[in-house]
Amino acid sequence: MQNGDSAALTRKIEITDAAVLSEIFGEYDSYINMIRKKFQVEIVLRGDEILITGRDADTAESVIRDMKWLVDRGDQLDEQKVGNAIDTNAAGETLRKSGMKNEIICFSNKGKPIRPKTKGQAEYTDSIRQHDVSFGIGPAGTGKTYLAVAMAVSAFKNREVERIVLTRPAVEAGESLGFLPGDMEEKVNPYLRPLYDALYDIMGRDTVARLRDRETIEIIPLAYMRGRTLDNSFIILDEAQNTTREQMKMFLTRLGFGSKAVVTGDITQIDLPKKRMSGLIDVKNILMDVEGIGFTFFADRDVVRHPLVRRIINAYERAGE
């Protein structure tokens, strides 16, 4: 920044809590440096005041206020959350006014609160509450499956449903189960592992095992859904981009009274043979305007994995992949 720049602005934020200031600045000022680099502003701390100077001082100030809002509601800042605040404000929005509530869906097995971390995730959980059938479509790392499982566990604990049913296409790249080693359970378990992982994290292995023995929780390949009607259940179809049109219709018509269904998928990672239409793409065109069905489309700024994942997704999008 050049001295004497008439366009430069100065903004001040007063934060009297030293612990909050430390959280916002990050270790070795790492979070503040992210803001400095993005908006080309100077940020200094003088006593209880953060001074921000530069052309984009208003936006940088808004980012810091979003960070304080996150800390005040009980979140622990990390690089992903700070990056999301930066991207949200750079797009002319704020986390504080995005409609994100200070909601906790449920707690993990270790007592960690599970809540939406981005605007897209908040819209997704709201859609699940409001609709009997919800679709979450977007890139890897946006929390589509994990949040759906958290919503299912919450509904089960609140006795809104009597059963949780999780399913995926068992063969994702045209392989035949008959050529894979082991018995049927050993053949399909690797395909269902992400669903197990989410349940284990939220409920714990022992609880999941006990509820599976009672058939209160079912984790099954999609082919096993045929011919069933599921009442009072929370049903999740994961990796739905790898369903055919026929499989998608079959799944959606399993819905019984008192049930909810959530369908997740990433239409950029379809493993079906090229001549087969993805059921997820097809259903988006057919059911978009049907009452009682909700669609949430995630963007790269909803990615909540390692920050590099977002940059990888953006690079592939620029390459047209």
Side-chain angles (χ1 to χ4, degrees), residues 10-14 49-52 61 65:
T10 298
R11 296 290 180 261
K12 299 178 182 179
I13 304 174
E14 183 178 3
E49 283 190 337
I50 301 173
L51 303 181
I52 310 155
E61 177 195 8
R65 292 195 183 279

Side-chain angles (χ1 to χ4, degrees), residues 2 17 53 97 121 189:
Q2 296 181 354
D17 190 324
T53 306
K97 299 178 182 179
Q121 289 190 349
N189 269 351

Side-chain angles (χ1 to χ4, degrees), residues 30-187:
S30 58
Y31 301 152
I32 289 297
N33 286 335
M34 290 172 64
I35 301 172
R36 288 174 175 143
K37 182 178 180 180
K38 174 65 177 181
F39 299 109
Q40 297 296 301
V41 293
E42 292 180 357
I43 303 176
V44 297
L45 179 63
R46 293 181 181 171
D48 294 336
E49 283 190 337
I50 301 173
L51 303 181
I52 310 155
T53 306
R55 290 178 180 269
D56 290 327
D58 282 334
T59 308
E61 177 195 8
S62 184
V63 172
I64 294 173
R65 292 195 183 279
D66 269 355
M67 293 165 66
K68 182 178 183 301
W69 176 76
L70 289 171
V71 174
D72 287 346
R73 77 173 199 163
D75 283 349
Q76 183 174 0
L77 295 181
D78 55 32
E79 187 175 341
Q80 182 276 324
K81 291 174 184 172
V82 175
N84 181 50
I86 289 172
D87 290 347
T88 299
N89 281 273
E93 303 176 21
T94 72
L95 296 179
R96 290 159 288 152
K97 299 178 182 179
S98 67
M100 289 178 61
K101 309 176 190 70
N102 190 19
E103 66 167 308
I104 296 175
I105 299 170
C106 62
F107 290 88
S108 74
N109 185 49
K110 296 181 179 179
K112 180 180 177 181
I114 299 170
R115 54 160 60 97
K117 296 179 180 179
T118 69
K119 180 181 178 182
Q121 289 190 349
E123 291 173 350
Y124 179 53
T125 54
D126 283 345
S127 178
I128 292 173
R129 288 190 187 92
Q130 295 166 10
H131 301 95
D132 287 339
V133 177
S134 301
F135 290 84
I137 301 174
T142 48
K144 303 181 298 294
T145 302
Y146 190 84
L147 285 175
V149 172
M151 293 292 286
V153 171
S154 176
F156 176 73
K157 288 183 174 180
N158 292 331
R159 299 186 177 181
E160 297 167 16
V161 297
E162 298 174 357
R163 180 169 47 175
I164 297 173
V165 180
L166 311 179
T167 185
R168 294 180 118 201
V171 182
E172 298 176 352
E175 297 178 76
S176 170
L177 289 175
F179 290 99
L180 298 176
D183 59 24
M184 182 55 67
E185 184 169 354
E186 291 171 331
K187 292 173 192 289

